[in-house]
Amino acid sequence: MSPVPGTTTGSGTTAPDSAQAAAPLSAPALPAPSAPTASAPSEGPSSDARRALATTERIRRSVRRLPHLLLGGATRSAAIVALVLLWEAAPRLGLADRTFLPPFSEVAAAWWDLAADGQLADNARASLVRSLSGFGLAVVCAVPLGLLIGWYRPVADVLGPLLEVFRNTAALALLPVFVLLLGIGETSKISIVVYACTWPVLLNTISAVRTVDPTLLKLAKSMDLSAARVFQKVILPSSVPMIFTGIRLAGAVSILVLVAAEMIGAKAGLGYLINASQYNFAIPQMYAGIVTISAIGVAFNQLLVALEKRLSSWRVPAGG
Amino acid sequence: MPGTTTQSPTPKIVFKDVRKEFTVKDRAGNRRTSRFTALDGVDLEIADGEFVVIVGPSGCGKSTLLDLLAGLDRPTGGRILLDGRPVTGPGPDRSVVFQQYALLPWRTALGNVEFGLEATGVPRRPRAARAREFLGLVGLSGFEDRHPHELSGGMRQRVAIARSLAYDPGVLLMDEPFAALDAQTRESLQDELLRIWQRTGKTVVFITHGIDEAVYLGQRVAVMTSRPGRVKQVVPVALGSRTATDDLRSSPEFARHRHRIWSLLHDEVTRAQRLEKEEVSV
Ligand SMILES: Nc1ncnc2c1ncn2[C@@H]1O[C@H](COP(=O)(O)OP(=O)(O)OP(=O)(O)O)[C@@H](O)[C@H]1O
Ligand SMILES: [Mg+2]
């Protein structure tokens, strides 16, 4: 288990890091916008001159912000750099068994080889196709279903306990059942991803619809809107942030579950790569697979977080 | 300014012996229910273009009365007439300003005002122009693209007022719209509301807890009894010209009306408290 020494340092430092990174960023951003507006009303002969002024101001602002950006990037990556250094040093200093935890440089070299001969890309593609199709299928089915269940209160009341049971049944515990029913091919793997991704999306969607601000519903009623209009103009937009939180959770789940599924009887995929490498005692290759999965997981999550932030900017005061 | 006549030929709004009962559960988990009478025998006539304020002890059924008039709920007994026709549901001829602003947080100020216009089927192009015009009317020009969380409480309430004015309802129903605001903001919004009312000639039914607010705004103030609610007395307020710039609130006339309504209310509040105590001890 490679990240054991690192996880503690990692999680311990990232939180204050991001807080520090956010603070200096907002400081120079504040006074800057007032500058062009202040100069605008004083002289109004040429709008070109004003625009030029605004442009130079913008450039100057980004230049002034550059050191802060660099600093922010540095603080944010400090913990990761520390982890990599520790990983490199520990086996070399004999703090960890070199056969089970090779130094990071060896893992990197193995990763490079895997990438060069196309193995990595092939396996990553196999995994991504499975997890993305499972994830996509789950989102496409669970969001409309959740909207429907949430909208019809009696349905939600009847199905509530059942959904609780399914939600609390770990998807991986059902993996053998899926294999039994659907074999060890693609179908069972994509199915388990669909299954695992469905619950966070479905439950978040249902509760998003059910927790719409009642005064907004009263407002819509006072305006004599039809049920379809209420749904389109009030319920749907107010549910978006919470639905997206569910989608983001599902994104993490899709990779988690898939890797586990690929470790049981698969001929391709990153889970297979990790498992096969361990079986063949190709330890650096195994770590290379693990690192790749982490990277994909982080990237996917970042993407969804960015999307979520965009869609729910009205909910939390933007910028804090 | 519209006259303060009660006997205009066809009143805009008529409450005739209105009664409202709610079904309430006796105990949690118990299937037995009982009837709870919130309003009993409400009679009130409101003329077209009149500004009527309703005051009453807490829980006497003011919001219930407004809900009935808005068509959000049906009376158990009696009749509510609007322009001579019974109220059967909500409609674009009335608009409600809620105490909790009820703005759509994902829409900008402009979008929120447009929301009311979409409901009444105003085409897209004139919609934005009209929304802008009404934001200007409540003094929010330049704030069109702000989201509710970027506005102050008073600004939010002004957006809500602009929204209910924009689709041009004949009747404006306001349920303690200024209750959550500080004194300065409240006074300026009161003046703004009076200005808009004088300009547009709408019929306004305004609920408040504040006696000063009632006297300042209302042409007539209806004082309600404690539960079950009924209109105890309607006090006509004659303050001379409202547009006079000197401090109306400190005039002897104002104080006299204020005291009159205060004593009417005071009796009811004591009665309500006695009732509540008896209920608890039973
Ligand atoms: N949906 C309901 N079900 C049961 N009882 C209700 C319901 N709505 C209101 N009531 C009861 O009817 C009475 C009148 O309520 P209402 O909200 O109209 O009072 P109010 O005069 O507006 O009070 P406040 O000044 O505190 O806002 C209250 O005693 C309340 O408990
Ligand atoms: Mg009320």
Side-chain angles (χ1 to χ4, degrees), chain A residues 212-213 215-225 229 233-239 311 313-318, chain B residues 67 70-73 90-92 94 96 98 100-107 115-116 118-119 147 149-150 163 167:
Chain A
V212 173
D213 184 352
T215 48
L216 294 184
L217 294 176
K218 205 169 163 184
L219 169 80
K221 196 180 169 198
S222 83
M223 292 186 163
D224 207 15
L225 290 184
R229 275 297 160 86
K233 289 187 185 287
V234 178
I235 294 178
L236 211 54
S238 98
S239 303
L311 288 173
S313 60
W314 53 266
R315 198 156 71 158
V316 249
Chain B
D67 279 357
L72 295 170
D73 210 345
R94 286 149 287 157
V96 189
F98 296 96
Q100 307 87 348
Y101 314 138
L103 296 183
L104 308 170
W106 56 89
R107 287 194 178 207
F115 181 69
E118 288 163 22
H147 281 84
H149 73 254
E150 299 164 316
R163 175 177 61 197
Y167 61 92

Side-chain angles (χ1 to χ4, degrees), chain A residues 53 89 134 244:
Chain A
L53 203 77
F244 231 84

Side-chain angles (χ1 to χ4, degrees), chain A residues 9-276:
Chain A
T9 31
S11 63
T13 40
T14 36
D17 266 0
S18 51
Q20 280 167 5
L25 272 180
S26 58
L30 274 174
S34 66
T37 33
S39 66
S42 59
E43 87 264 297
S46 131
S47 63
D48 275 0
R50 207 183 309 159
R51 206 166 304 138
L53 203 77
T55 320
T56 44
E57 180 59 37
R58 203 169 310 135
I59 292 167
R60 216 180 318 148
R61 201 194 317 165
S62 31
V63 168
R64 222 184 308 148
R65 209 156 55 175
L66 198 64
H68 289 286
L69 281 176
L70 288 177
L71 196 72
T75 39
R76 239 169 299 176
S77 49
I80 298 194
V81 171
L83 170 66
V84 168
L85 289 178
L86 188 69
W87 186 351
E88 183 67 29
R92 289 191 190 281
L93 298 176
L95 295 173
D97 192 335
R98 217 180 151 128
T99 31
F100 299 126
L101 182 66
F104 181 76
S105 52
E106 279 177 32
V107 173
W111 188 89
W112 189 250
D113 289 344
L114 284 173
D117 71 2
Q119 265 193 70
L120 198 65
D122 288 344
N123 285 310
R125 194 181 310 119
S127 286
L128 277 177
V129 165
R130 286 173 190 144
S131 69
L132 286 183
S133 52
F135 168 80
L137 221 60
V139 169
V140 166
C141 298
V143 170
L145 193 66
L147 292 173
L148 215 69
I149 294 176
W151 182 229
Y152 293 104
R153 205 156 269 264
V155 181
D157 290 337
V158 170
L159 289 182
L162 190 67
L163 296 180
E164 268 317 297
V165 169
F166 276 118
R167 199 250 306 248
N168 288 303
T169 307
L172 286 178
L174 288 174
L175 189 52
V177 181
F178 276 82
V179 171
L180 263 180
L181 294 177
L182 302 168
I184 52 168
E186 293 302 296
T187 324
S188 74
K189 284 183 194 62
I190 293 179
S191 302
I192 190 97
V193 174
V194 171
Y195 177 88
C197 289
T198 295
W199 304 112
V201 178
L202 187 67
L203 290 160
N204 269 48
T205 306
I206 293 173
S207 84
V209 173
R210 297 195 61 168
T211 52
V212 173
D213 184 352
T215 48
L216 294 184
L217 294 176
K218 205 169 163 184
L219 169 80
K221 196 180 169 198
S222 83
M223 292 186 163
D224 207 15
L225 290 184
S226 66
R229 275 297 160 86
V230 175
F231 195 81
Q232 176 207 347
K233 289 187 185 287
V234 178
I235 294 178
L236 211 54
S238 98
S239 303
V240 164
M242 208 167 174
I243 293 176
F244 231 84
T245 306
I247 290 180
R248 185 168 50 78
L249 291 174
V253 163
S254 74
I255 290 172
L256 210 82
V257 171
L258 177 75
V259 168
E262 281 175 347
M263 287 183 166
I264 303 171
K267 289 190 265 328
L270 289 170
Y272 159 79
L273 177 72
I274 294 167
N275 215 32

